[in-house]
Amino acid sequence: MSHNHTLYKKQVSAIRSVAEGVYVLSFQRSFTFTAGQVLAIDVVPDGEARLYSIASGEQDKDIEILFDERPEGRLTPILSRLRVGDNIYISEPFGSFRSDAGKAYWIAAGTGIAPFVSMIRSGKATHKTLVHGGRYDENFYFASLIEKNFSGKYTRCCSQQEDTAYYKGRLTGWLKEYDLATDNRYYLCGSAEMVVQVRDILISKDIPFQNIVSETYF
Amino acid sequence: MKTNLFGLTLFQLKEVVSTLGLPAFTATQLADWMYKKQVTSIASMTNLSKQTREKLESKYCVGMTEPSKVQTSTDGTKKYLYPTQIQKFIEAAYIPDADRATLCVSTQIGCKMGCLFCMTGKQGFQGNLTTGEIINQVQSLPEFDKLTNIVYMGMGEPMDNVEAVLNSIEIMTSAWGYDWSPKRITVSTIGIIPAMNTFLERSQAHLAVSLHSPFDDERREIMPIQNVYPITQVVSEIRRWQLGRQRRVSFEYIMFKGINDTPRHANELVRLLHGIKCRVNLIRFHAIPDTPLEGTSPENMVTFQNHLKAKGLTVTIRASRGEDIFAACGLLSTKELLRKQQETDF
């Protein structure tokens, strides 16, 4: 996608692999943002920047971005090879995927956990239930941070690992299996396919669509 | 596997012939044969030397694809199903009318946007169409010679595949291509602002924006894109471009009973679009499976239309076409996909 956000030069302060092909990229924060917001990133100042949710907390020194390397993609194979000190170009944060203070389910697939991690790190996790879907146990990114800082119910749904310590199955299976509160808000983040399937399940369980807020990767 | 020539722009064809060591004018000949004479094989390009044709055929083919299925509505609308290079399916809807014949083309296989009212979104996103796959929907259409208008309102979000969309428009509007006026072409978007600006800068085709609610919070409930690019910002950008003289901007508004069809919505719509020379298209909602949404009644649509007109907006109610074959909603390709699809893991 062509992009015309104004991009600012930053230097990578850290990059680490958190699972096979999945990375956390860090750079110094020089702006304020609200947990749940996205920013545009590129490795050139006038390229086709892509949008990523911020995974770090609002007051953290560094911004963290969680990304999944797509071998066929233009940007993520380059991002995954960045080293400390390399230049990247980022926009100011924007977007309005923000969780309110009331009771809510946060439902994420894969790297869609990022905005919820940001909310947890920003102290916005009271009265929340977190459901995260991944293929293997290693795909529950930030799990130890979540276990340490999140007081609500945290469910991990693992679709492909036979000996998983968590719910064995897709998160859509978990949502179908368990009772869900109809008066809660539901915040979804993941691929369009995940969002649409989860939303259909929630609606079939009498949750008003007005209570469902979705963020899709694109 | 040979590479398709069909769908390449003149600039790209020049790169191909240069790579093969052929003279530059061969690119113009190729464009002429494919887009004007509409041949489907390199062997048919008889003003190319045999040696040139052999050189091209060693690595390339034209690469057009016939539709694999067609459904015909009682009103004459036809929905064509095309297989894509990655073994998926897309749809194109041919909509004949008294004085025009419109083709609604797809730009992606599935869609990433996840709008609540859209059947295509239920497929998830399977991939972008190439320029060739977009233009193939036009040129391989049996009714190609009757076409008066192209609308990019089929499967997918055109601005999420904007380079392929722009290249396809270049083929349609260039002297070396179909040589059509860009006024025959309308591209729809839900408002991906950066790509929309790219489109407005690099083409002269009309723009249609899927609006569906003038209120940020309510639009967010039915269109996730609102979290990233709110409609108020989309409209501000359009206002900045000052469209309306040489190119048209329209706002598409699917009407949902009790959701976006009240006087409050009409008033806000008027306020939002104030000062923009545009047209509002009110669209009846074609129900899709498992949707919580209902369409506004025809009577209430007229009331809403009159409310907007009284405030000075130009408003039309789009005639529903091809309802018996679900012409607009991606159902045919979704069925084909689901028949083949394995469960995705999340």
Side-chain angles (χ1 to χ4, degrees):
Chain A
M1 181 177 61
S2 299
H3 217 284
N4 64 359
H5 290 289
T6 303
L7 301 181
Y8 303 93
K9 187 159 80 173
K10 287 281 185 182
Q11 288 180 331
V12 174
S13 58
I15 183 159
R16 60 190 165 94
S17 172
V18 292
E20 189 179 346
V22 184
Y23 302 84
V24 175
L25 175 72
S26 308
F27 53 90
Q28 191 176 28
R29 179 172 69 86
S30 57
F31 41 69
T32 58
F33 72 96
T34 305
Q37 287 193 304
V38 300
L39 44 75
I41 300 182
D42 207 339
V43 290
V44 289
D46 53 357
E48 298 178 355
R50 296 283 172 177
L51 306 187
Y52 293 90
S53 293
I54 298 171
S56 44
E58 292 170 356
Q59 302 302 321
D60 291 350
K61 184 169 130 309
D62 279 355
I63 295 288
E64 287 188 355
I65 300 297
L66 175 68
F67 71 92
D68 193 352
E69 183 179 356
R70 307 273 173 185
E72 75 285 4
R74 181 191 69 85
L75 186 60
T76 57
I78 302 172
L79 289 181
S80 66
R81 284 161 186 75
L82 289 173
R83 295 290 171 261
V84 173
D86 286 348
N87 289 333
I88 54 169
Y89 295 84
I90 60 147
S91 72
E92 291 185 346
F94 62 102
S96 58
F97 183 69
R98 299 166 193 160
S99 186
D100 59 25
K103 289 182 180 176
Y105 282 73
W106 291 346
I107 302 172
T111 55
I113 194 71
F116 302 121
V117 171
S118 178
M119 292 172 195
I120 291 168
R121 287 167 143 177
S122 304
K124 297 181 172 180
T126 312
H127 307 307
K128 304 296 185 285
T129 296
L130 176 62
V131 185
H132 187 195
R135 292 187 178 190
Y136 302 96
D137 285 1
E138 70 164 359
N139 298 125
F140 299 117
Y141 318 116
F142 298 102
S144 55
L145 181 146
I146 294 169
E147 284 170 343
K148 192 175 164 189
N149 298 286
F150 183 68
S151 58
K153 186 177 175 188
Y154 173 32
T155 298
R156 281 159 273 193
C157 306
C158 184
S159 63
Q160 288 196 1
Q161 187 167 322
E162 288 299 327
D163 62 348
T164 180
Y166 310 110
Y167 174 85
K168 174 75 180 77
R170 306 167 78 218
L171 73 83
T172 45
W174 188 91
L175 292 167
K176 285 176 186 167
E177 203 172 310
Y178 289 91
D179 289 337
L180 302 172
T182 54
D183 59 348
N184 277 214
R185 298 274 281 175
Y186 288 78
Y187 293 86
L188 322 181
C189 186
S191 66
E193 194 173 6
M194 169 269 185
V195 162
V196 167
Q197 286 186 29
V198 168
R199 193 172 57 198
D200 281 353
I201 291 168
L202 299 181
I203 289 167
S204 75
K205 297 188 116 177
D206 296 328
I207 291 150
F209 73 86
Q210 292 92 340
N211 285 1
I212 305 169
V213 182
S214 309
E215 177 103 315
T216 64
Y217 305 147
F218 74 95
Chain B
M1 191 173 164
K2 292 182 181 179
T3 303
N4 292 346
L5 291 172
F6 188 72
L8 298 185
T9 63
L10 183 60
F11 178 81
Q12 292 166 329
L13 289 169
K14 283 178 178 172
E15 288 183 327
V16 167
V17 300
S18 168
T19 306
L20 294 175
L22 297 170
F25 65 79
T26 309
T28 311
Q29 291 175 308
L30 285 169
D32 188 66
W33 279 112
M34 288 193 294
Y35 305 128
K36 288 194 178 299
K37 299 188 175 77
Q38 292 155 25
V39 301
T40 56
S41 72
I42 292 170
S44 307
M45 300 177 182
T46 49
N47 67 349
L48 302 184
S49 70
K50 191 180 174 196
Q51 192 181 17
T52 297
R53 278 180 275 159
E54 284 174 354
K55 212 173 228 184
L56 283 164
E57 282 175 327
S58 66
K59 289 186 176 175
Y60 295 93
C61 60
V62 172
M64 286 185 66
T65 308
E66 294 296 312
S68 61
K69 191 180 281 187
V70 59
Q71 290 182 337
T72 305
S73 164
T74 52
D75 68 13
T77 299
K78 292 181 179 178
K79 184 153 72 172
Y80 289 95
L81 189 74
Y82 290 91
T84 68
Q85 289 176 13
I86 59 167
Q87 310 302 314
K88 306 287 184 185
F89 298 91
I90 52 158
E91 298 173 12
Y94 171 70
I95 309 160
D97 217 329
D99 57 347
R100 58 167 58 192
T102 303
L103 182 69
C104 178
V105 297
S106 297
T107 54
Q108 294 181 312
I109 310 158
C111 184
K112 297 177 196 167
M113 302 301 142
C115 297
L116 181 64
F117 46 84
C118 177
M119 189 67 191
T120 299
K122 291 184 185 292
Q123 292 186 13
F125 176 69
Q126 312 293 322
N128 279 327
L129 295 187
T130 63
T131 303
E133 287 170 329
I134 296 172
I135 209 86
N136 181 72
Q137 296 166 66
V138 181
Q139 196 166 309
S140 71
L141 191 81
E143 295 86 357
F144 174 73
D145 291 335
K146 297 176 186 169
L147 287 176
T148 60
N149 296 78
I150 303 292
V151 293
Y152 288 70
M153 297 182 183
M155 296 168 61
E157 162 56 41
M159 299 307 171
D160 192 36
N161 189 16
V162 71
E163 289 300 326
V165 166
L166 286 168
N167 283 343
S168 67
I169 292 172
E170 186 181 341
I171 291 169
M172 286 186 229
T173 58
S174 293
W176 49 263
Y178 301 164
D179 205 11
W180 289 355
S181 164
K183 292 178 182 175
R184 294 169 65 175
I185 300 166
T186 302
V187 179
S188 173
T189 181
I190 64 170
I192 298 177
I193 292 171
M196 183 180 80
N197 284 334
T198 300
F199 163 77
L200 289 171
E201 191 178 313
R202 289 172 47 190
S203 93
Q204 288 301 313
H206 299 311
L207 178 71
V209 176
S210 299
L211 200 154
H212 309 322
S213 176
F215 294 107
D216 282 345
D217 287 350
E218 295 180 21
R219 191 170 185 259
R220 182 177 297 116
E221 293 165 358
I222 55 175
M223 301 174 74
I225 190 68
Q226 178 71 22
N227 284 314
V228 181
Y229 297 119
I231 192 63
T232 45
Q233 281 184 22
V234 175
V235 171
S236 292
E237 285 294 322
I238 289 168
R239 188 172 275 115
R240 190 172 66 80
W241 280 91
Q242 296 185 321
L243 306 177
R245 292 186 186 277
Q246 294 302 314
R247 65 196 308 187
R248 190 177 61 226
V249 59
S250 56
F251 291 91
E252 311 294 303
Y253 198 91
I254 303 176
M255 296 201 65
F256 305 110
K257 183 181 174 186
I259 303 296
N260 66 354
D261 60 354
T262 70
R264 183 175 67 91
H265 291 91
N267 288 336
E268 183 63 14
L269 199 51
V270 170
R271 198 195 62 76
L272 180 68
L273 302 181
H274 179 71
I276 298 177
K277 187 172 163 48
C278 65
R279 184 175 64 189
V280 177
N281 274 325
L282 303 180
I283 302 168
R284 193 151 74 82
F285 176 52
H286 293 229
I288 60 171
D290 304 322
T291 179
L293 301 168
E294 284 180 65
T296 300
S297 69
E299 298 76 21
N300 288 348
M301 285 182 71
V302 171
T303 303
F304 194 86
Q305 179 189 29
N306 289 338
H307 192 133
L308 296 177
K309 277 183 169 176
K311 304 275 187 179
L313 283 177
T314 302
V315 191
T316 54
I317 296 179
R318 184 185 294 167
S320 287
R321 299 294 305 271
E323 207 167 351
D324 52 330
I325 57 168
F326 296 94
C329 69
L331 194 67
L332 182 59
S333 59
T334 303
K335 279 181 176 171
E336 289 292 329
L337 177 77
L338 294 177
R339 206 174 356 247
K340 297 193 169 210
Q341 194 175 43
Q342 293 181 331
E343 284 199 324
T344 309
D345 293 312
F346 44 71

